[in-house]
Amino acid sequence: EPSGDWGQFSSPPEKQDNDTNRRYPCVSISLAGDIEKYLNRMMDKDSSLKPLFDSLGLLHPDGYADISECFIAKGSGTIPDRGNSQYAVYEFVRKNGFVGEKSWPSNLEMTLDGYYRILTPEVIALGKKICNAMKPTDKGYVEPHFKFNYKNRS
């Protein structure tokens, strides 16, 4: 964003944890928030992307981007009560993509086993499909910013 203020593109905040489940997905939540801002900005600049993002399950019913933090946390190997490194989380997303909350939901009432449940082959395939449409920049290290590959818009 030219002004440097990405706050206007933020999706509503989500609580990270409750007092009984110590999930520690903070890096996954941070990256999901960055992706949400980027997708929201893209839709603001090009409204024709909204139906595409919706068809991929990336949008909340209210129309803003809503990425599954627990998909990223589980896939990247986040450990309850310990967390994960930025590198592991970013590498997982760079290689495997991400999915919307609709496709891999979570809530604060879930147990740790429920939150860190095994990813299904279908949701993994969806993440890879999104990964192929959303190409991360690659300069030898992982960046949490994605550029849309317009060749894969269909």
Side-chain angles (χ1 to χ4, degrees), residues 69-142:
E69 294 88 357
C70 79
F71 173 83
I72 297 171
K74 173 62 178 179
S76 65
T78 301
I79 300 169
D81 260 341
R82 185 167 150 205
N84 207 341
S85 71
Q86 290 177 337
Y87 183 81
V89 171
Y90 293 170
E91 273 297 290
F92 172 77
V93 170
R94 185 177 73 84
K95 293 178 179 177
N96 301 284
F98 51 88
V99 300
E101 187 71 22
K102 283 186 213 173
S103 300
W104 200 250
S106 68
N107 61 58
L108 288 176
E109 289 74 40
M110 291 178 100
T111 64
L112 284 176
D113 288 340
Y115 189 83
Y116 286 107
R117 63 199 182 276
I118 295 172
L119 300 176
T120 64
E122 295 81 13
V123 78
I124 292 169
L126 178 59
K128 288 191 181 274
K129 177 181 179 181
I130 293 168
C131 186
N132 289 331
M134 306 287 287
K135 295 292 183 190
T137 61
D138 189 4
K139 298 177 184 171
Y141 59 95
V142 180

Side-chain angles (χ1 to χ4, degrees), residues 5-88:
D5 179 11
W6 285 75
Q8 63 183 320
F9 302 110
S10 295
S11 294
E14 299 175 39
K15 192 170 179 182
Q16 176 176 328
D17 249 329
N18 61 28
D19 294 333
T20 58
N21 289 326
R22 299 177 54 92
R23 300 174 181 160
Y24 282 70
C26 51
V27 179
S28 298
I29 289 172
S30 177
L31 180 55
D34 286 347
I35 295 167
E36 289 170 353
K37 285 176 192 167
Y38 201 82
L39 296 177
N40 289 332
R41 180 182 184 273
M42 290 172 71
M43 289 185 294
D44 183 65
K45 302 296 181 200
D46 182 356
S47 61
S48 71
L49 294 173
K50 196 168 192 168
L52 172 65
F53 292 166
D54 194 37
S55 73
L56 293 170
L58 300 175
L59 301 184
H60 184 274
D62 290 338
Y64 57 81
D66 193 15
I67 303 305
S68 173
E69 294 88 357
C70 79
F71 173 83
I72 297 171
K74 173 62 178 179
S76 65
T78 301
I79 300 169
D81 260 341
R82 185 167 150 205
N84 207 341
S85 71
Q86 290 177 337
Y87 183 81

